[in-house]
Amino acid sequence: MSDLLNRRLALLGEADHLSLLTQCLHGIERETLRVTAQGELAQTPHPVALGSALTHAQITTDYSEALLEFITPAEPDPADTLADLERIHRFAASRLDDEYLWSPSMPGLLPDEAQIPIARYGSSNIGRLKYVYRRGLALRYGKTMQCIAGIHYNFSLPEAVWPLLQRLDGDGQSARDYQSASYIALIRNFRRYSWLLMYLFGASPALDASFLRGRPHQLQQLDADTLYLPWATSLRMSDLGYQSSAQSGLTPCYNDLASYTESLRNAVATPYPAYAEIGTHDASGEWQQLNSNIIQIENEYYSSIRPKRVTRSGERPIQALMSRGVQYVEVRCLDINPYLPLGIDLAEARFLDAFILFCALADSPLLAGVECRACTENFLKTVKEGRRPGLHLQHDGQQVELRTWAGELLDAFAPIAALLDRAHGGGAYREALEAQRAKVQDPALTPSARVLAELQHHGESFRAFALRQSKAHAETFRAQPLSAAEEQDFERMARASLAEQAELEAAPAGDFDSFVAAYQASILGISQ
């Protein structure tokens, strides 16, 4: 363990500072497709009983009208975050009639592309903008790709930690710049080590054969309806998942916040020939993409982790980062575990806390080109063949066995887990760490291995397995309904969100073309 990490842990372990570790904030966003009782994509509109997808703070949609997204508040205790997520699931499940929440990340049997409904957000200008953005995504990447679901884990250290670390480091920059630089350093380490998360939590080693729409691939056939790779952990995060030739040249630098925001700002402002050829309007004059640039808006850039700042009304993500700095990180590479009703559990959340804190507190040198490429290659190698016996990754210019390096990292996390246990009381963080150590020692315990073993043991297709799990989770949610007070809270939120959308739509608004132009200009006018 490095001297810097030792000194930082010693500082945070002092009696006056230990309680700070109980003040980290955790938020979860869980995506899940609505499906029919036969496991087919729901063609129904977003249920009115759930509220407005435009204005509800906790229940919205992502890309497709059928792709629900559940969003928790940020809580200091991950157990409370999971409890929030469970309540949202219970409410949604109780309002879905004959539909189910799809259990894994990869979709089942999808209809033809034209039949996949894009999410709609009403007639207000902001609602229309969200819809046009998604039309653009459909043009650029296809609708099939947008039906993949994941878990996003939001994490922040308490604001009071940063002045302590800044004094320890003897750093002379402004407090805001130090905090931002520290979060960017965390992200660099995340890129170095995130292959480990894919090994431990990847849960998409197989997919429905229809997903590839006849595209060439190197997958193996498990049965008539299922394709897989024998050692894969997360096909969702492989080149079979979200991919873009336009974005292939876009590699935002994580060596400082300014270069990251500038690279995204340039991408939003730089035309891409293939998109320019399509144009912003279709033959009937309707908007079909917000612009013809490399990315329409900054959220279109796909990455496994993002620096974030809560935005103010009308503010864009890059504007918030540039004006007030980084506030938290959003981890975006986590698969939904089909064995878990919420797709994630408390042991995973506690391990993620230790993992992210290690990334924040350990040395994080700048990423040069060679190491940057090695990070990407290690990640992609792990998602496609992470459980292959004897698999080697690149580490400090050397080839090292994944299993060996994983064990070394878990050893390095142990003092952080111990510190978290001291702060919270008990031994839950050590236990979460040991549960992951068992997976390193025995790959058969990983979710990806379990899924493949179950498909092979039962002679079951991916589609049938996922539907069976979806129905089992629905039973779990419905067996323990919300209390009357909780039910009323969700009903009140749903009504309030519908009223807020109606208010937006009734308010006088300028024409949509001017609204889009102003939205584009809001980012192009930013200067560094």
Side-chain angles (χ1 to χ4, degrees):
M1 197 157 56
S2 73
D3 180 53
L4 176 69
L5 181 57
N6 278 326
R7 285 187 291 118
R8 287 175 165 179
L9 291 178
L11 177 69
L12 294 175
E14 290 176 9
D16 289 347
H17 305 147
L18 187 62
S19 66
L20 287 173
L21 290 174
T22 66
Q23 297 167 34
C24 298
L25 289 178
H26 314 76
I28 294 175
E29 300 160 34
R30 188 259 164 107
E31 300 161 349
T32 175
L33 287 168
R34 286 186 293 114
V35 300
T36 68
Q38 291 72 45
E40 295 169 356
L41 189 75
Q43 295 286 329
T44 49
H46 182 69
V48 174
L50 299 183
S52 163
L54 178 67
T55 54
H56 199 299
Q58 296 188 6
I59 302 174
T60 182
T61 52
D62 192 308
Y63 168 76
S64 169
E65 186 76 349
L67 185 56
L68 290 168
E69 183 172 3
F70 300 152
I71 303 165
T72 73
E75 303 271 17
D77 188 336
D80 292 333
T81 307
L82 268 293
D84 289 333
L85 187 62
E86 185 160 2
R87 280 189 287 273
I88 300 170
H89 277 76
R90 289 192 191 288
F91 177 72
S94 74
R95 296 298 189 275
L96 286 186
D97 297 327
D98 297 327
E99 294 175 354
Y100 294 87
L101 304 174
W102 192 241
S103 59
S105 279
M106 299 304 287
L109 180 64
L110 292 173
D112 291 341
E113 284 257 333
Q115 302 304 311
I116 297 174
I118 296 172
R120 290 187 175 271
Y121 300 92
S123 60
S124 68
N125 278 340
I126 189 65
R128 289 180 64 193
L129 184 132
K130 287 168 77 78
Y131 173 72
V132 172
Y133 166 59
R134 284 158 177 78
R135 277 198 76 182
L137 295 177
L139 279 172
R140 292 166 177 227
Y141 315 109
K143 294 180 178 180
T144 300
M145 210 63 67
Q146 311 296 321
C147 292
I148 301 172
I151 296 247
H152 298 168
Y153 193 77
N154 299 309
F155 182 90
S156 68
L157 282 80
E159 300 280 323
V161 160
W162 301 116
L164 292 175
L165 296 180
Q166 187 168 9
R167 280 197 298 275
L168 182 71
D169 292 354
D171 187 287
Q173 59 189 321
S174 73
R176 189 194 79 183
D177 288 349
Y178 175 82
Q179 178 172 321
S180 290
S182 298
Y183 273 118
I184 296 294
L186 181 168
I187 289 172
R188 285 197 299 275
N189 274 339
F190 185 91
R191 290 214 57 224
R192 289 180 171 104
Y193 309 126
S194 53
W195 58 265
L196 178 61
L197 297 181
M198 306 322 297
Y199 174 84
L200 295 172
F201 302 113
S204 53
L207 47 79
D208 196 276
S210 66
F211 177 81
L212 292 172
R213 307 277 189 194
R215 282 189 292 150
H217 63 82
Q218 297 175 322
L219 302 181
Q220 297 178 26
Q221 196 96 29
L222 189 69
D223 58 42
D225 298 319
T226 309
L227 299 172
Y228 78 111
L229 283 177
W231 309 113
T233 63
S234 177
L235 294 178
R236 164 180 168 261
M237 292 304 296
S238 75
D239 52 8
L240 291 168
Y242 189 100
Q243 54 187 331
S244 158
S245 53
Q247 289 192 29
S248 60
L250 175 60
T251 51
C253 178
Y254 292 111
N255 285 336
D256 57 73
L257 178 60
S259 62
Y260 171 79
T261 54
E262 185 60 19
S263 64
L264 288 188
R265 199 171 75 90
N266 286 337
V268 175
T270 304
Y272 186 68
Y275 302 156
E277 201 173 314
I278 296 169
T280 54
H281 293 70
D282 63 20
S284 66
E286 290 292 316
W287 280 88
Q288 59 181 353
Q289 55 179 345
L290 293 175
N291 56 50
S292 55
N293 299 331
I294 294 171
I295 54 178
Q296 299 170 89
I297 62 175
E298 49 270 49
N299 282 354
E300 188 174 331
Y301 172 62
Y302 195 77
S303 57
S304 58
I305 185 170
R306 283 179 183 162
K308 298 288 289 268
R309 158 73 59 180
V310 174
T311 55
R312 294 170 178 162
S313 178
E315 186 178 45
R316 294 181 63 157
I318 297 181
Q319 290 174 311
L321 284 173
M322 291 174 70
S323 62
R324 298 189 303 288
V326 185
Q327 184 180 21
Y328 65 98
V329 291
E330 178 189 41
V331 172
R332 300 168 52 80
C333 59
L334 299 169
D335 279 356
I336 294 165
N337 185 328
Y339 292 105
L340 301 173
L342 307 182
I344 182 173
D345 63 10
L346 197 47
E348 181 175 346
R350 286 179 172 139
F351 178 79
L352 286 168
D353 287 0
F355 179 93
I356 297 168
L357 280 170
F358 175 80
C359 291
L361 300 173
D363 288 310
S364 182
L366 299 184
L367 279 170
V370 172
E371 189 184 8
C372 209
R373 281 190 296 277
C375 291
T376 302
E377 288 165 16
N378 287 342
F379 188 91
L380 291 175
K381 207 172 185 182
T382 305
V383 299
K384 289 183 102 165
E385 48 181 343
R387 287 178 291 103
R388 181 187 293 281
L391 182 72
H392 282 67
L393 303 178
Q394 302 171 58
H395 180 35
D396 289 340
Q398 306 291 318
Q399 291 289 310
V400 61
E401 193 173 353
L402 179 149
R403 188 171 171 177
T404 302
W405 192 5
E408 290 170 358
L409 283 172
L410 295 179
D411 288 344
F413 301 163
I416 293 174
L419 202 56
L420 286 165
D421 279 333
R422 273 182 57 208
H424 288 272
Y429 287 88
R430 181 187 58 78
E431 289 166 15
L433 186 62
E434 290 309 310
Q436 308 320 314
R437 202 184 293 279
K439 293 183 196 171
V440 172
Q441 291 162 354
D442 182 2
L445 297 175
T446 59
S448 57
R450 289 178 63 200
V451 168
L452 281 185
E454 186 151 354
L455 296 184
Q456 289 162 333
H457 177 72
H458 289 292
E460 192 172 32
S461 68
F462 166 75
R463 194 185 302 171
F465 161 76
L467 182 59
R468 181 163 58 81
Q469 293 299 124
S470 304
K471 290 183 173 180
H473 297 335
E475 285 302 311
T476 301
F477 295 135
R478 288 166 184 162
Q480 296 173 296
L482 295 172
S483 69
E486 290 168 334
E487 189 103 5
Q488 286 164 9
D489 278 345
F490 276 108
E491 288 173 348
R492 179 186 48 75
M493 280 193 281
R495 286 194 302 273
S497 69
L498 292 165
E500 188 179 344
Q501 178 176 335
E503 201 175 303
L504 275 172
E505 292 174 351
D511 71 282
F512 184 63
D513 290 12
S514 301
F515 182 81
V516 174
Y519 189 81
Q520 313 282 20
S522 69
I523 198 166
L524 301 183
I526 301 174
S527 58
Q528 288 282 16

